């Protein structure tokens, strides 16, 4: 009971009057210009930082056509009622390539390989899906 009364009866103005050394602080002044100029960091334009060098050509899907066809036949099922996530399929293909001592392809090349084989690739609610293709394990689990 005494503790609750102490909080109800507390008056902050009286406490500040009792201790004058606890006054309010003054707002700080802005830093002088020379100090701010030292802290400034030059920023490159976005177009300069993200340009791809002309010496690096885009991946040619011809290098991955045969291994992609083998992986497709071994790990996937074609079914008109199925949709597979392109990200998951790409990761699985890259892991398969590494196990085969191959070099994984980029996501863009993977999507080009899918479209070359006649699959439709599109975005649905923020997820990129391929129509008519799914993992064999997932398909067999639902059958």
């Amino acid at each position: 009971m005494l503790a609750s009364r102490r909080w109800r009866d507390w008056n902050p103005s009286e406490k500040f009057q009792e201790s004058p050394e606890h006054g309010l602080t003054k707002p700080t002044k802005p830093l002088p210009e020379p100090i701010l100029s030292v802290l400034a960091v030059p920023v490159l334009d976005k177009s300069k930082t993200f340009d791809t060098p002309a010496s690096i050509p885009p991946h040619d899907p011809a290098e991955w056509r045969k291994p992609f066809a083998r992986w497709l036949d071994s790990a996937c099922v074609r079914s008109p009622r199925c949709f597979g996530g392109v990200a998951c399929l790409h990761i699985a293909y890259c892991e398969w390539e590494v196990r085969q001592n191959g070099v994984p392809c980029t996501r863009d090349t993977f999507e080009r390989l899918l479209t070359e084989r006649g699959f439709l690739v599109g975005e649905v609610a923020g997820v990129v899906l391929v129509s008519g293709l799914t993992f064999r394990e997932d398909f067999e689990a639902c059958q």
Side-chain angles (χ1 to χ4, degrees):
M1 188 68 123
L2 291 175
S4 64
R5 183 152 179 85
R6 182 177 71 191
W7 287 109
R8 276 190 289 164
D9 295 340
W10 183 67
N11 189 352
S13 62
E14 292 175 2
K15 299 295 180 190
F16 283 119
Q17 290 174 358
E18 292 175 6
S19 58
E21 70 272 359
H22 292 105
L24 296 175
T25 59
K26 296 179 182 176
T28 58
K29 295 179 181 176
L31 294 173
E33 190 63 35
I35 293 176
L36 292 177
S37 64
V38 172
L39 298 175
V41 178
V43 178
L44 293 175
D45 291 338
K46 195 173 196 178
S47 61
K48 292 180 184 176
T49 57
F50 292 110
D51 283 344
T52 55
S55 62
I56 300 175
H59 287 168
D60 182 17
E63 296 292 324
W64 287 277
R65 282 189 185 113
K66 288 183 182 177
F68 178 74
R70 282 196 322 253
W71 172 79
L72 206 59
D73 291 337
S74 67
C76 296
V77 172
R78 295 175 184 102
S79 175
R81 297 182 64 189
C82 294
F83 293 89
V86 173
C88 296
L89 290 165
H90 177 242
I91 290 169
Y93 173 67
C94 290
E95 291 172 350
W96 180 85
E97 274 282 358
V98 169
R99 284 193 307 270
Q100 304 295 318
N101 294 324
V103 177
C105 66
T106 63
R107 167 100 178 244
D108 292 334
T109 305
F110 183 76
E111 288 182 21
R112 284 179 58 194
L113 290 167
L114 287 169
T115 55
E116 283 180 0
R117 292 212 163 246
F119 293 107
L120 296 175
V121 177
E123 186 175 333
V124 177
V127 178
V128 181
L129 297 174
V130 58
S131 175
L133 185 69
T134 190
F135 288 113
R136 185 176 304 281
E137 295 173 356
D138 294 343
F139 185 79
E140 290 172 354
C142 293
Q143 296 300 319

